[in-house]
Amino acid sequence: MMVALSSLSFSSRLYRMGNYKNFLSRIASEATYLQYCISEPHIREMRSVAVQYINSVCYKLQPYPLLRLSQNLMMKELDVESLCHDCGLETCTDSDGFTVLTTKQSTFRSPEDKFKVYDLIGMERMKR
C-alpha cells in the first residue's frame, strides 16, 4: 500500500509541474483502478492544458501532427481531434493526408462545461 501511495504522490508532483507526458504514463502504468478514477478530473484538465501548450508554443511554423499528440496524451487520434474541437481549435489534413493541429490559434478555450471522458491508452490492463 505504501508503494501505491508514494506512486500517487509522485504522479501528483508531475501534475503540478505540468509534465503531462510522464504524468499520464505513470498513471497508466502504475495506478490502481480507484487511483485512476480519483485522478480522472486531473487527467482531463492536464490534456486540455497540454493542447493549449502545443497550440501556443510548439511548431511555430509547422502544424503539429495529431498522431504525435495522441501518443503523448495517450489517447486515440479521433479522440484528440474531438478534444481539440472542444477546446475551440481547428484541425486540418496536410498534403500527406495526416490530420494536424494548425498552430497559433487564438480561439483556445478550456472545455469546462462539456469535458468528455476519453480513455487513457494503457489502462486496458484493468477490468471494469
Side-chain angles (χ1 to χ4, degrees):
M1 183 66 170
M2 186 58 97
V3 172
L5 290 177
S6 67
S7 175
L8 190 60
S9 173
F10 183 72
S11 294
S12 66
R13 221 171 315 149
L14 292 171
Y15 173 79
R16 286 190 308 274
M17 290 174 19
N19 190 341
Y20 64 89
K21 186 174 181 181
N22 286 337
F23 170 74
L24 295 170
S25 297
R26 185 73 155 220
I27 293 292
S29 65
E30 297 181 10
T32 64
Y33 184 68
L34 178 61
Q35 289 170 332
Y36 170 72
C37 291
I38 292 169
S39 301
E40 197 166 30
H42 302 293
I43 292 169
R44 289 184 295 207
E45 182 182 346
M46 181 62 73
R47 285 175 167 165
S48 174
V49 168
V51 169
Q52 181 181 16
Y53 290 165
I54 297 296
N55 176 55
S56 62
V57 298
C58 289
Y59 280 70
K60 294 179 183 179
L61 302 175
Q62 299 173 358
Y64 196 86
L66 285 192
L67 179 61
R68 174 178 272 171
L69 188 55
S70 73
Q71 292 166 346
N72 289 340
L73 297 180
M74 301 180 72
M75 299 171 69
K76 296 175 186 167
E77 192 172 351
L78 288 175
D79 290 344
V80 172
E81 187 171 8
S82 178
L83 176 63
C84 289
H85 293 167
D86 290 346
C87 290
L89 302 175
E90 294 183 20
T91 59
C92 63
T93 305
D94 67 4
S95 60
D96 296 327
F98 295 106
T99 307
V100 294
L101 175 64
T102 54
T103 57
K104 302 295 183 184
Q105 297 180 48
S106 61
T107 56
F108 180 86
R109 67 180 183 284
S110 183
E112 297 167 4
D113 56 333
K114 56 180 180 179
F115 241 137
K116 295 179 186 170
V117 177
Y118 299 108
D119 290 334
L120 182 64
I121 294 175
M123 295 299 292
E124 298 86 14
R125 63 184 168 79
M126 292 187 193
K127 305 241 191 280
R128 295 183 184 208

